[in-house]
Amino acid sequence: MNYPLLNAFLTMMWFFLWIIWFVLLFRVITDVFRDDSLSGWAKAGWTVFLIVLPFLGVLVYLIARGRGMGDREAARMRERESRYYTAAGLDQARGTGQAEELGRLAELRDHGDLTAEEFERAKTRVLAA
């Protein structure tokens, strides 16, 4: 065996870094195509930049538009979650129905986490929704 343990570790590290690089590259390309605020020309420009100079392209994209990536992903997930809850007929805030919400409120009241007045206000809010 002529392959020391440190070399095996370094090989695995480079392999995982290579995989992480591709995940990041595909994540950026996906964000480019999903962003509705970009025009077709801007999407084409970013795509060409990412293909021709991938390392520089990803770094520039993350610096220029990285903060918005998380915001766009969160908005997309909220919209998907809203559609799911609407289709399932569930309470969007918790993913439960009124009976389960009232049961949870009663449990909080029984444990002393809610006063009787807070319980009544929350129960009224749940039943009004």
Side-chain angles (χ1 to χ4, degrees):
M1 181 158 176
N2 197 11
Y3 201 68
L5 185 61
L6 181 60
N7 285 349
F9 172 75
L10 290 175
T11 301
M12 287 185 348
M13 184 188 72
W14 283 113
F15 178 73
F16 286 121
L17 285 174
W18 185 69
I19 296 296
I20 289 170
W21 162 248
F22 276 110
V23 168
L24 180 62
L25 180 65
F26 291 130
R27 175 80 189 248
V28 167
I29 290 173
T30 302
D31 186 64
V32 167
F33 284 106
R34 285 185 177 172
D35 188 6
D36 293 331
S37 67
L38 287 177
S39 68
W41 287 106
K43 289 179 183 185
W46 276 113
T47 304
V48 168
F49 190 36
L50 289 168
I51 291 172
V52 173
L53 297 170
F55 289 110
L56 184 62
V58 167
L59 290 177
V60 169
Y61 188 85
L62 290 176
I63 291 169
R65 300 180 48 84
R67 181 179 303 263
M69 284 178 71
D71 296 339
R72 287 186 292 276
E73 183 67 24
R76 190 170 18 267
M77 294 306 289
R78 279 192 301 272
E79 192 252 329
R80 283 176 123 186
E81 186 178 19
S82 174
R83 282 188 293 161
Y84 168 76
Y85 286 131
T86 301
L90 299 173
D91 177 23
Q92 188 169 345
R94 299 262 193 248
T96 60
Q98 285 182 343
E100 291 177 4
E101 184 70 23
L102 289 173
R104 190 178 1 230
L105 287 172
E107 187 177 316
L108 287 172
R109 182 195 57 200
D110 293 343
H111 285 123
D113 294 333
L114 288 177
T115 64
E117 180 182 307
E118 291 171 332
F119 173 76
E120 289 302 321
R121 275 188 289 169
K123 183 173 85 170
T124 304
R125 180 183 49 82
V126 168
L127 292 175

